[in-house]
Amino acid sequence: MTKRMENKMSMYTSVLKTTNFHEDVWRNHQGFVEIYASFVNQINQIRELSKLKEAQITGVTKDKNQSLSDAAEKAIKIASAVYIFASVTGNNKLKDRVAYSPSDLKYCRDSVFIDILNVIVTAANQIVDDLELYGISRSDVEELENEIEHLSTLF
Protein backbone atom coordinates (compact mmCIF):
# COMPACT_ATOMS: atom_id res chain seq x y z
CA MET A 1 0.00 0.00 0.00
CA THR A 2 1.08 3.54 -0.58
CA LYS A 3 1.51 5.91 2.35
CA ARG A 4 -1.75 7.66 1.44
CA MET A 5 -3.62 4.34 1.35
CA GLU A 6 -2.15 3.32 4.70
CA ASN A 7 -3.27 6.64 6.20
CA LYS A 8 -6.81 6.14 4.89
CA MET A 9 -6.88 2.58 6.23
CA SER A 10 -5.76 3.85 9.64
CA MET A 11 -8.59 6.38 9.57
CA TYR A 12 -11.10 3.67 8.60
CA THR A 13 -9.86 1.49 11.46
CA SER A 14 -10.28 4.37 13.89
CA VAL A 15 -13.85 4.93 12.67
CA LEU A 16 -14.55 1.22 13.17
CA LYS A 17 -13.21 1.27 16.72
CA THR A 18 -15.18 4.38 17.60
CA THR A 19 -18.45 3.14 16.11
CA ASN A 20 -18.05 -0.26 17.76
CA PHE A 21 -17.41 1.42 21.09
CA HIS A 22 -20.62 3.47 20.74
CA GLU A 23 -22.77 0.76 19.21
CA ASP A 24 -25.48 1.28 21.82
CA VAL A 25 -26.06 4.76 20.36
CA TRP A 26 -26.64 3.72 16.73
CA ARG A 27 -27.77 0.07 16.71
CA ASN A 28 -31.49 1.08 16.64
CA HIS A 29 -31.08 3.40 13.62
CA GLN A 30 -31.73 1.18 10.60
CA GLY A 31 -30.24 3.58 8.03
CA PHE A 32 -26.98 3.88 9.94
CA VAL A 33 -26.85 0.11 10.52
CA GLU A 34 -27.10 -0.52 6.74
CA ILE A 35 -24.46 2.07 5.88
CA TYR A 36 -22.19 0.78 8.64
CA ALA A 37 -22.53 -2.81 7.37
CA SER A 38 -21.58 -1.64 3.89
CA PHE A 39 -18.62 0.27 5.35
CA VAL A 40 -17.40 -2.83 7.23
CA ASN A 41 -17.81 -4.93 4.08
CA GLN A 42 -15.74 -2.45 2.05
CA ILE A 43 -12.97 -2.44 4.65
CA ASN A 44 -12.87 -6.24 4.69
CA GLN A 45 -12.59 -6.30 0.89
CA ILE A 46 -9.75 -3.77 1.01
CA ARG A 47 -7.92 -5.89 3.58
CA GLU A 48 -8.30 -9.05 1.49
CA LEU A 49 -7.10 -7.34 -1.68
CA SER A 50 -4.19 -5.84 0.22
CA LYS A 51 -3.16 -9.28 1.50
CA LEU A 52 -3.25 -10.69 -2.03
CA LYS A 53 -1.24 -7.81 -3.44
CA GLU A 54 1.38 -7.98 -0.69
CA ALA A 55 1.74 -11.74 -1.17
CA GLN A 56 2.31 -11.24 -4.91
CA ILE A 57 4.87 -8.50 -4.35
CA THR A 58 6.65 -10.47 -1.65
CA GLY A 59 6.88 -13.55 -3.87
CA VAL A 60 8.24 -11.59 -6.81
CA THR A 61 10.77 -9.85 -4.60
CA LYS A 62 11.97 -13.13 -3.13
CA ASP A 63 12.32 -14.65 -6.59
CA LYS A 64 14.23 -11.62 -7.84
CA ASN A 65 16.54 -11.57 -4.82
CA GLN A 66 17.24 -15.28 -5.21
CA SER A 67 18.05 -14.80 -8.90
CA LEU A 68 20.36 -11.88 -8.07
CA SER A 69 22.11 -13.92 -5.41
CA ASP A 70 22.55 -16.94 -7.70
CA ALA A 71 23.91 -14.79 -10.53
CA ALA A 72 26.28 -12.94 -8.19
CA GLU A 73 27.64 -16.21 -6.83
CA LYS A 74 28.28 -17.59 -10.33
CA ALA A 75 29.76 -14.30 -11.49
CA ILE A 76 32.22 -14.09 -8.59
CA LYS A 77 33.31 -17.67 -9.16
CA ILE A 78 33.94 -17.00 -12.86
CA ALA A 79 35.49 -13.56 -12.29
CA SER A 80 37.86 -15.05 -9.71
CA ALA A 81 39.04 -17.69 -12.17
CA VAL A 82 39.55 -15.07 -14.89
CA TYR A 83 41.39 -12.84 -12.39
CA ILE A 84 43.73 -15.67 -11.37
CA PHE A 85 44.36 -16.60 -15.01
CA ALA A 86 45.11 -12.95 -15.81
CA SER A 87 47.47 -12.71 -12.84
CA VAL A 88 49.34 -15.85 -13.84
CA THR A 89 49.68 -14.75 -17.46
CA GLY A 90 50.51 -11.13 -16.57
CA ASN A 91 47.46 -9.73 -18.35
CA ASN A 92 46.75 -6.71 -16.15
CA LYS A 93 44.14 -5.31 -18.52
CA LEU A 94 42.05 -8.48 -18.21
CA LYS A 95 42.67 -8.63 -14.48
CA ASP A 96 41.35 -5.07 -14.04
CA ARG A 97 38.25 -5.81 -16.12
CA VAL A 98 37.07 -8.54 -13.73
CA ALA A 99 38.27 -7.15 -10.39
CA TYR A 100 34.86 -7.18 -8.70
CA SER A 101 34.21 -8.12 -5.11
CA PRO A 102 31.03 -9.73 -3.83
CA SER A 103 30.05 -6.41 -2.23
CA ASP A 104 30.50 -4.64 -5.59
CA LEU A 105 27.76 -6.86 -6.95
CA LYS A 106 25.61 -6.83 -3.84
CA TYR A 107 25.34 -3.06 -3.52
CA CYS A 108 25.08 -1.90 -7.13
CA ARG A 109 21.92 -0.94 -8.99
CA ASP A 110 20.15 -3.58 -11.02
CA SER A 111 21.12 -2.12 -14.39
CA VAL A 112 24.77 -1.81 -13.34
CA PHE A 113 24.64 -5.36 -12.01
CA ILE A 114 23.71 -6.71 -15.43
CA ASP A 115 26.44 -4.60 -17.06
CA ILE A 116 29.02 -6.06 -14.67
CA LEU A 117 27.80 -9.59 -15.37
CA ASN A 118 28.13 -8.95 -19.10
CA VAL A 119 31.71 -7.71 -18.64
CA ILE A 120 32.56 -10.87 -16.70
CA VAL A 121 30.93 -13.13 -19.30
CA THR A 122 32.70 -11.36 -22.17
CA ALA A 123 36.06 -11.68 -20.44
CA ALA A 124 35.44 -15.34 -19.61
CA ASN A 125 34.38 -16.17 -23.16
CA GLN A 126 37.68 -14.81 -24.48
CA ILE A 127 39.62 -17.40 -22.49
CA VAL A 128 36.97 -20.02 -21.77
CA ASP A 129 39.18 -22.95 -22.80
CA ASP A 130 41.95 -21.79 -20.44
CA LEU A 131 39.52 -21.52 -17.53
CA GLU A 132 39.11 -25.31 -17.34
CA LEU A 133 42.37 -25.37 -15.35
CA TYR A 134 40.74 -23.04 -12.81
CA GLY A 135 37.53 -25.01 -12.35
CA ILE A 136 35.34 -23.10 -14.79
CA SER A 137 33.77 -24.87 -17.76
CA ARG A 138 32.10 -23.49 -20.84
CA SER A 139 28.76 -24.59 -19.37
CA ASP A 140 29.43 -22.47 -16.25
CA VAL A 141 29.81 -19.40 -18.44
CA GLU A 142 26.69 -20.35 -20.41
CA GLU A 143 24.75 -20.70 -17.15
CA LEU A 144 25.74 -17.16 -16.22
CA GLU A 145 24.65 -15.96 -19.65
CA ASN A 146 21.27 -17.61 -19.05
CA GLU A 147 21.04 -15.92 -15.65
CA ILE A 148 21.68 -12.56 -17.31
CA GLU A 149 18.85 -13.20 -19.79
CA HIS A 150 16.54 -14.19 -16.96
CA LEU A 151 17.45 -11.14 -14.89
CA SER A 152 16.87 -8.88 -17.87
CA THR A 153 13.22 -9.98 -17.82
CA LEU A 154 12.88 -9.07 -14.14
CA PHE A 155 14.08 -5.47 -14.43
Side-chain angles (χ1 to χ4, degrees):
M1 271 201 237
T2 65
K3 191 71 160 171
R4 183 171 184 225
M5 294 167 132
E6 288 175 10
N7 289 340
K8 280 187 164 190
M9 195 57 158
S10 293
M11 187 260 315
Y12 296 155
T13 302
S14 295
V15 170
L16 280 176
K17 286 179 185 177
T18 302
T19 50
N20 286 337
F21 184 76
H22 296 290
E23 183 180 351
D24 56 326
V25 174
W26 57 265
R27 81 174 126 200
N28 293 327
H29 299 284
Q30 187 59 34
F32 187 86
V33 169
E34 290 173 10
I35 291 172
Y36 181 72
S38 175
F39 177 68
V40 170
N41 185 40
Q42 290 291 326
I43 290 174
N44 289 336
Q45 287 179 5
I46 291 169
R47 286 179 176 155
E48 288 303 312
L49 290 172
S50 178
K51 286 179 193 175
L52 289 173
K53 186 68 174 174
E54 290 300 317
Q56 290 171 349
I57 291 171
T58 302
V60 169
T61 301
K62 285 181 181 178
D63 290 346
K64 179 182 170 187
N65 289 341
Q66 185 62 52
S67 292
L68 289 170
S69 178
D70 292 345
E73 187 175 316
K74 288 176 187 172
I76 289 299
K77 182 180 173 186
I78 292 169
S80 296
V82 172
Y83 187 89
I84 293 169
F85 171 82
S87 295
V88 169
T89 60
N91 188 339
N92 290 325
K93 186 176 177 182
L94 179 60
K95 188 166 76 169
D96 289 343
R97 282 180 40 207
V98 295
Y100 295 104
S101 69
S103 61
D104 289 335
L105 296 176
K106 183 177 182 181
Y107 297 111
C108 67
R109 293 189 178 274
D110 294 343
S111 59
V112 174
F113 181 77
I114 288 181
D115 291 343
I116 291 171
L117 296 183
N118 280 319
V119 167
I120 293 169
V121 165
T122 300
N125 276 327
Q126 291 173 352
I127 58 166
V128 71
D129 294 330
D130 296 319
L131 292 178
E132 291 283 340
L133 296 172
Y134 301 93
I136 300 298
S137 66
R138 185 175 299 276
S139 66
D140 292 329
V141 177
E142 289 170 356
E143 284 179 23
L144 183 56
E145 288 172 328
N146 292 335
E147 287 284 335
I148 293 169
E149 286 180 36
H150 174 69
L151 288 171
S152 296
T153 65
L154 297 177
F155 302 143

